[in-house]
């Protein structure tokens, strides 16, 4: 699409200095690149330090999808129970 910059944003690397490192592993900035662009480094760091309890029918399609998306987002600890 002419004039659209949304596709361009996903391929431009994020300038990160050493203060913005996500837990000492440089690869994490690349893995969570899109989320860092949306929320910022501090929000991603807080997400990675968070713990989530998912209660309900986690084996149902919606529960599986929700658990997958939380894990891919980088939630630090995900506990599932019925």
């Amino acid at each position: 699409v002419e004039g659209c910059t949304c596709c361009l944003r996903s391929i431009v690397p994020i300038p990160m200095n050493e203060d913005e490192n996500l837990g000492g592993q440089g690869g994490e900035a690349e893995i969570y690149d899109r989320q860092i662009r949306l929320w910022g480094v501090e929000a991603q760091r807080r997400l990675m330090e968070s713990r989530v309890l998912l209660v309900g029918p986690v084996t149902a399609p919606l529960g599986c999808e929700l658990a997958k998306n939380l894990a891919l987002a980088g939630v630090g600890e995900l506990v599932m129970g019925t």
Side-chain angles (χ1 to χ4, degrees):
V1 178
E2 188 176 333
C4 176
T5 59
C6 62
C7 300
L8 182 61
R9 281 187 226 136
S10 64
I11 59 171
V12 177
I14 299 174
M16 293 187 68
N17 59 35
E18 293 189 21
D19 295 334
E20 296 176 332
N21 194 357
L22 295 173
Q25 298 178 3
E28 290 177 338
E30 292 179 20
I31 293 171
Y32 302 116
D33 180 62
R34 289 183 180 180
Q35 291 156 224
I36 292 170
R37 290 174 188 274
L38 182 62
W39 298 312
V41 174
E42 181 59 30
Q44 184 63 37
R45 182 178 294 121
R46 291 177 68 193
L47 184 63
M48 292 171 67
E49 293 172 354
S50 68
R51 297 185 299 176
V52 175
L53 172 63
L54 183 59
V55 179
V58 293
T59 58
L62 182 61
C64 290
E65 187 69 17
L66 182 59
K68 178 197 76 157
N69 289 336
L70 287 170
L72 290 174
V75 169
E77 185 177 340
L78 178 61
V79 179
M80 299 182 288
T82 55

